[in-house]
Short mmCIF file of all heavy atoms in Angstrom, two decimals:
data_model
loop_
_atom_site.label_atom_id
_atom_site.label_comp_id
_atom_site.label_asym_id
_atom_site.label_seq_id
_atom_site.Cartn_x
_atom_site.Cartn_y
_atom_site.Cartn_z
N CYS A 13 -57.30 4.62 37.01
CA CYS A 13 -56.15 3.71 36.85
C CYS A 13 -56.01 3.25 35.41
O CYS A 13 -54.90 3.11 34.88
CB CYS A 13 -56.32 2.50 37.76
SG CYS A 13 -56.25 2.92 39.50
N LYS A 32 -31.43 -11.08 16.41
CA LYS A 32 -31.09 -12.48 16.21
C LYS A 32 -31.35 -12.88 14.76
O LYS A 32 -32.42 -12.64 14.22
CB LYS A 32 -31.93 -13.35 17.15
CG LYS A 32 -31.48 -14.81 17.17
CD LYS A 32 -32.27 -15.59 18.20
CE LYS A 32 -31.79 -17.03 18.24
NZ LYS A 32 -32.54 -17.82 19.24
N LYS A 38 -20.99 -7.05 4.98
CA LYS A 38 -19.55 -7.15 5.09
C LYS A 38 -18.90 -5.88 4.56
O LYS A 38 -19.33 -5.31 3.57
CB LYS A 38 -19.04 -8.36 4.30
CG LYS A 38 -19.37 -9.68 4.95
CD LYS A 38 -18.68 -10.81 4.23
CE LYS A 38 -18.95 -12.13 4.93
NZ LYS A 38 -18.26 -13.25 4.26
N ALA A 48 -3.95 2.05 -7.88
CA ALA A 48 -3.25 2.84 -8.90
C ALA A 48 -1.74 2.80 -8.69
O ALA A 48 -0.97 2.70 -9.64
CB ALA A 48 -3.77 4.28 -8.86
N LEU A 176 31.87 27.25 -11.03
CA LEU A 176 30.85 28.25 -11.35
C LEU A 176 31.32 29.67 -11.08
O LEU A 176 30.55 30.62 -11.22
CB LEU A 176 29.57 27.97 -10.55
CG LEU A 176 28.91 26.62 -10.81
CD1 LEU A 176 27.78 26.39 -9.82
CD2 LEU A 176 28.39 26.54 -12.23
N GLU A 215 16.54 26.75 9.40
CA GLU A 215 17.67 27.22 8.58
C GLU A 215 18.37 26.02 7.98
O GLU A 215 18.71 25.06 8.69
CB GLU A 215 18.64 28.04 9.42
CG GLU A 215 19.72 28.70 8.58
CD GLU A 215 20.57 29.65 9.40
OE1 GLU A 215 21.40 29.16 10.19
OE2 GLU A 215 20.39 30.87 9.26
N SER A 298 32.64 46.96 -6.23
CA SER A 298 33.66 47.44 -5.31
C SER A 298 34.81 48.15 -6.05
O SER A 298 35.63 48.83 -5.44
CB SER A 298 34.25 46.27 -4.52
OG SER A 298 34.82 45.31 -5.39
#
Side-chain angles (χ1 to χ4, degrees):
C13 294
K32 189 175 181 180
K38 287 188 177 181
L176 299 172
E215 188 172 75
S298 59

